[in-house]
Amino acid sequence: MSKQQLLLPYNKNINMKNRVVMAPMTRSRADNEGNVPTDDLQGLYYEQRASAGLIITEGSQVSPDAVGYIHTPGIYSEEQVEGWKKITKRVHDKGGKIYIQLWHVGRISHPDFHNGKLPLSASAINPNAKSFTPEGFKDTVTPKEMTTEEIKTTIKDFQKAAANAVKAGFDGVEIHSSNGYLFHQFFNGCSNNRTDEYGGSIQNKTRFFFEVLDAIKEVIPQEKIAARFNPSLDGMFGISIDEETIPTFEYIIKKLNDYNLAYVHLSEPFTDVSKVPFAVTEIAKHFRPLYNGTLMINSGFDQEKGNKVIEEGHADLVAYGKPFISNPDLVERFKNNLALAEWDQDTFYTTGTKGYTDYPKASKELV
């Protein structure tokens, strides 16, 4: 067959040896008191997958206030920075590139993570979801509406996290503004009923995100900054679509043309939204004409669909999640048109090596 689009290099702001991206995936392996990623576990996991054109790490909280799941790593303490340093070195020694995803879950959290204090959000509206706490899944609570001062503090938290990412040797950062987490809570009317400068109009609901972006680009070149969005998320993580949802994301994506970002990372709908009013069913096709920079797409792509979406011009890069869990050599398998190994969903969020670093490569010849 002719050269696969997925295997072609990409050199706009990121010098990538191919267009196969390892998507950010929570794996809950930082099971220590300081939520520090470790060289022998996370280091090996990411090194095994360094043949990807780019690795995006699991979401990493920018402060203790940002956490909402057990055993997720952070990027706010010196110990965490030192842990990540060893991991980025392992990836770089294998010729890979690695970005860290900066994360604040907002209301998708629980007081158990915050010494009994309420989690923070755009408004005091319960997402009516579940939080994975040290004692198992618990119902979410009504969060505390963030004050202007708390918003300013969180902006500084993201800025410091980005500076820490530079210290840790990352090639760049991705702002997690997707999947019902803090920024998404500001974007959508179902979670934001504020009447100040962070609520009401589309410009106001997106203000917080752009203030964070502007703060981060003070400490890291903007061509090393990326952002992730999930415009048609509906019925998950406490998010529902209304008539302003897609226009809000259109405004964001168009405004990002004023920046020189590494990429914009979009997700196709996680569920069938064909009968959901105001939803967009084909995200890449809809948003590609609105954005002049590098567009990454994910969710539900296989090898054939990944090659096709690039060939048709709807995206430049394709991010793969679950296939990378069970196929550390995913790029090599694509290259040689080999079958993919199945993943074990029961070990996605457990601790230790099982279902994490013990998936074999297809053959010794591909190592």
Side-chain angles (χ1 to χ4, degrees):
M1 65 183 291
S2 60
K3 188 70 172 178
Q4 298 181 54
Q5 297 292 313
L6 285 167
L7 302 180
L8 297 176
Y10 190 77
N11 297 309
K12 185 176 179 180
N13 287 347
I14 315 175
N15 291 321
M16 296 170 54
K17 55 197 173 187
N18 58 65
R19 301 174 187 230
V20 181
V21 178
M22 179 176 169
M25 290 176 285
T26 297
R27 301 303 311 276
S28 301
R29 256 62 177 197
D31 54 330
N32 52 67
E33 188 175 349
N35 295 132
V36 177
T38 59
D39 182 39
D40 58 342
L41 195 57
Q42 282 94 345
L44 177 58
Y45 171 71
Y46 287 118
E47 179 190 307
Q48 288 174 336
R49 291 153 179 82
S51 59
L54 175 68
I55 290 171
I56 311 169
T57 73
E58 60 218 283
S60 302
Q61 53 261 14
V62 299
S63 73
D65 288 338
V67 69
Y69 297 87
I70 60 169
H71 304 152
T72 54
I75 185 64
Y76 56 86
S77 74
E78 285 304 314
E79 294 78 14
Q80 291 163 349
V81 171
E82 289 304 310
W84 282 119
K85 270 185 187 176
K86 297 170 184 174
I87 295 167
T88 59
K89 184 179 186 303
R90 288 181 75 145
V91 172
H92 290 150
D93 286 349
K94 289 288 186 178
K97 301 270 185 180
I98 184 166
Y99 273 41
I100 186 169
Q101 189 184 62
L102 305 181
W103 196 25
H104 193 309
V105 308
R107 66 181 187 167
I108 307 294
S109 187
H110 193 276
D112 286 3
F113 289 110
H114 308 293
N115 297 315
K117 292 192 303 179
L118 294 175
L120 302 174
S121 187
S123 297
I125 302 172
N126 192 333
N128 295 313
K130 296 284 186 181
S131 177
F132 189 17
T133 77
E135 297 178 1
F137 283 101
K138 291 188 178 182
D139 291 334
T140 54
V141 300
T142 299
K144 178 184 184 296
E145 180 174 306
M146 295 174 77
T147 64
T148 302
E149 193 58 39
E150 286 167 334
I151 289 174
K152 289 179 180 176
T153 297
T154 305
I155 292 169
K156 291 177 182 175
D157 289 339
F158 272 91
Q159 186 183 55
K160 183 187 175 185
N164 283 344
V166 174
K167 289 182 192 174
F170 283 101
D171 297 294
V173 302
E174 179 181 284
I175 305 169
H176 196 352
S177 26
S178 188
N179 296 1
Y181 298 124
L182 185 61
F183 294 109
H184 207 157
Q185 292 159 30
F186 274 81
F187 298 156
N188 278 51
C190 65
S191 45
N192 183 350
N193 62 9
R194 301 175 73 101
T195 57
D196 64 0
E197 67 268 37
Y198 294 99
S201 68
I202 287 176
Q203 290 83 355
N204 283 355
K205 287 188 292 186
T206 59
R207 185 187 306 276
F208 177 35
F209 167 78
F210 282 103
E211 287 180 344
V212 167
L213 176 55
D214 289 337
I216 289 177
K217 71 184 181 71
E218 291 177 7
V219 297
I220 184 172
Q222 58 181 302
E223 61 268 21
K224 296 179 179 293
I225 305 170
R228 186 182 185 187
F229 305 96
N230 192 339
S232 278
L233 183 71
D234 184 77
M236 297 178 70
F237 303 107
I239 295 295
S240 57
I241 293 175
D242 61 30
E243 65 273 16
E244 269 204 343
T245 300
I246 296 302
T248 298
F249 285 102
E250 290 172 343
Y251 170 82
I252 293 169
I253 300 305
K254 288 177 183 177
K255 188 169 180 177
L256 287 175
N257 285 318
D258 297 334
Y259 295 79
N260 182 27
L261 298 188
Y263 59 83
V264 165
H265 183 178
L266 299 179
S267 295
E268 295 290 350
F270 285 178
T271 55
D272 181 6
V273 296
S274 58
K275 296 180 181 178
V276 176
F278 313 115
V280 167
T281 57
E282 294 182 296
I283 293 297
K285 288 182 182 179
H286 183 87
F287 284 94
R288 171 76 281 180
L290 306 183
Y291 187 58
N292 301 326
T294 298
L295 189 66
M296 181 188 299
I297 192 69
N298 88 354
S299 190
F301 284 87
D302 57 16
Q303 181 180 1
E304 181 182 356
K305 290 178 181 176
N307 280 309
K308 185 178 179 183
V309 74
I310 297 174
E311 186 175 350
E312 292 180 344
H314 300 309
D316 303 297
L317 310 170
V318 182
Y320 291 87
K322 293 174 184 175
F324 254 121
I325 289 178
S326 51
N327 298 276
D329 57 341
L330 184 66
V331 174
E332 289 80 2
R333 291 183 190 241
F334 283 174
K335 195 177 295 182
N336 292 279
N337 294 304
L338 300 176
L340 302 188
E342 290 295 318
W343 54 80
D344 177 10
Q345 194 150 341
D346 291 340
T347 58
F348 280 4
Y349 309 113
T350 52
T351 57
T353 60
K354 182 172 173 55
Y356 191 62
T357 56
D358 60 349
Y359 286 104
K361 294 189 176 184
S363 70
K364 291 181 179 179
E365 289 75 25
L366 296 179
V367 175

